[in-house]
Amino acid sequence: MASESAGILLYRRASARPGAERELPDDEFEVFLAHPGGPFWAGKDDGAWTIPKGLIEDGEDKLAAAIREFDEETGIRLKGPFVELGSVRLKSGKVVHAWACEGDADPDQVRSNTVEVRWAGKTLTVPEVDRCAWFGPEAAILKINPAQAELILRLARSMIG
């Protein structure tokens, strides 16, 4: 059976962006993406970013797992409300269950948990997320893992209708 993860796609209306000089239409938005930490991801950009997400523990509610993982990977505790975006299957076979949440976060204040990875015959302790950033929808679709791009499209459709 493929593993399952849960995560949150945090978004903000572009008009809420710090320094926004004019009101923008409500359908213009940005999403908050995470870049994985560690040496494997160090030189990767397009297609490497992700929603903050992680494995669902045995018996854990999927939304509770998504909220916990967002907190662990960013240091930010979200309150909701949360809108279900459904699931996507990654190339690896892993299923990612996702929710959207409107809010704001300062990428410079992100504090990630750490994980141990094997690299070049050594065990390294690295941040699970080495940085986060805000992206408009078009840029985000280029940055995010290709299978997760569908989540951004689902968010955009939910904002229109």
Side-chain angles (χ1 to χ4, degrees):
M1 180 176 149
S3 62
E4 293 183 294
S5 287
I8 306 287
L9 180 59
L10 183 66
Y11 72 96
R12 67 182 180 193
R13 311 277 174 174
S15 58
R17 176 176 64 224
E21 295 180 11
R22 59 183 177 86
E23 284 295 310
L24 298 170
D26 281 347
D27 63 345
E28 292 189 34
F29 65 97
E30 296 174 312
V31 295
F32 191 73
L33 300 180
H35 187 273
F40 178 80
W41 297 104
K44 295 177 172 59
D45 192 52
D46 288 353
W49 294 70
T50 183
I51 66 171
K53 63 173 178 31
L55 293 176
I56 302 167
E57 296 176 3
D58 287 341
E60 187 176 22
D61 175 79
K62 292 174 185 168
L63 177 56
I67 295 167
R68 175 183 53 75
E69 286 290 337
F70 194 97
D71 185 16
E72 288 177 3
E73 294 186 4
T74 67
I76 300 164
R77 183 73 176 176
L78 299 175
K79 305 266 189 262
F82 302 97
V83 176
E84 189 170 358
L85 294 175
S87 304
V88 295
R89 185 175 300 275
L90 304 183
K91 189 177 178 181
S92 67
K94 179 187 286 186
V95 174
V96 177
H97 306 280
W99 287 261
C101 178
E102 186 170 4
D104 202 0
D106 181 350
D108 294 331
Q109 298 301 312
V110 166
R111 300 293 176 260
S112 177
N113 60 328
T114 58
V115 294
E116 288 188 351
V117 297
R118 292 285 294 163
W119 187 258
K122 297 179 182 176
T123 300
L124 304 174
T125 300
V126 299
E128 194 164 358
V129 167
D130 64 13
R131 65 189 181 277
C132 291
W134 288 101
F135 298 98
E138 289 180 12
I141 286 171
L142 295 174
K143 296 290 183 192
I144 201 166
N145 174 298
Q148 292 180 47
E150 175 62 25
L151 300 172
I152 297 166
L153 297 173
R154 290 176 190 171
L155 174 62
R157 286 192 294 269
S158 76
M159 295 174 81
I160 294 168

